[in-house]
Amino acid sequence: MTADSPYDPTVLAARWTRALTGARNATATTTTAVTDPVPDPLPYAEDLLARWAEPQRRYHGTDHLVAVLDRIDLVAEYAADPDLVRLAAWFHDAVYRPDRSENEERSARLAERALPDAGLDRTATAEVARLVRLTVSHAPGPGDTNGAVLCDADLGILAAPETEYRAYAAAVREEYAFVPDAAFRRGRSEVLRQLLELPRLFHTPYGAREWESAARANMTAELARLADGG
């Protein structure tokens, strides 16, 4: 996967527009719905798509965005506010530099700036930003259905068929090409161990049923390859 995505930006902009419009409609009062001007969603979509297409992204590019959105659609029935989850997906890696550790926080702050301008109310904006920050830990609390759906969708790649999983792992390595091999193997192994130590990776019924065992098998196999110098 690369940042050079084959996806039609017009189609993706339409997906953004549906999510933003749905979130606006779900939170608008009768007064604001009637009297307030509605900002055009397109400039926000264009800005986000430009961010997702940045050249430093080898895994965290447009393909990843689309995959997360598709998986959200798959498990959307479990979310209290599925359109807010979709907006969080658009923002969750909107700021991404592999050599920095504050990407999620900077992405959340971008959402906090952009979404009020785009016509979303304060409460809904705060929920989107909370969800973006949750992707640091991927550990939603009990009853956090929105968090469960976003985290499951973001981690769904871990349960991919072996060929796709290996391509994902290779793309992650490309993003960290500036890190020496031995250091990368140590860091990547630590990430995988931390994930494997979680009592559960997936929090929706679908994710627990369809993705949990495959994800653990993939990560265990990758850990073995890393230990062998691969």
Side-chain angles (χ1 to χ4, degrees), residues 35-59:
T35 64
D36 286 1
V38 178
D40 182 359
L42 185 58
Y44 301 92
E46 291 173 341
D47 176 74
L48 287 164
L49 287 171
R51 291 174 179 274
W52 283 95
E54 291 164 342
Q56 77 277 10
R57 299 168 182 263
R58 308 313 299 164
Y59 169 66

Side-chain angles (χ1 to χ4, degrees), residues 158-160 165 196 201 211-225:
L158 300 177
Y165 183 91
L196 286 167
L201 292 165
W211 296 335
E212 185 82 22
S213 61
R216 290 186 179 276
N218 279 334
M219 289 191 293
T220 299
E222 185 185 357
L223 263 177
R225 291 193 295 272

Side-chain angles (χ1 to χ4, degrees), residues 72 75 78-80 85 127 130-131 134 138-155 200-205 207 211:
I72 289 171
V75 295
Y78 303 112
V85 179
E127 174 65 357
R130 182 191 72 83
L131 290 169
L134 185 61
H138 292 97
D144 183 4
T145 59
N146 288 341
V149 167
L150 179 62
C151 291
D152 279 20
D154 195 25
L155 293 183
R200 56 190 298 187
L201 292 165
F202 298 100
H203 300 269
T204 64
W211 296 335

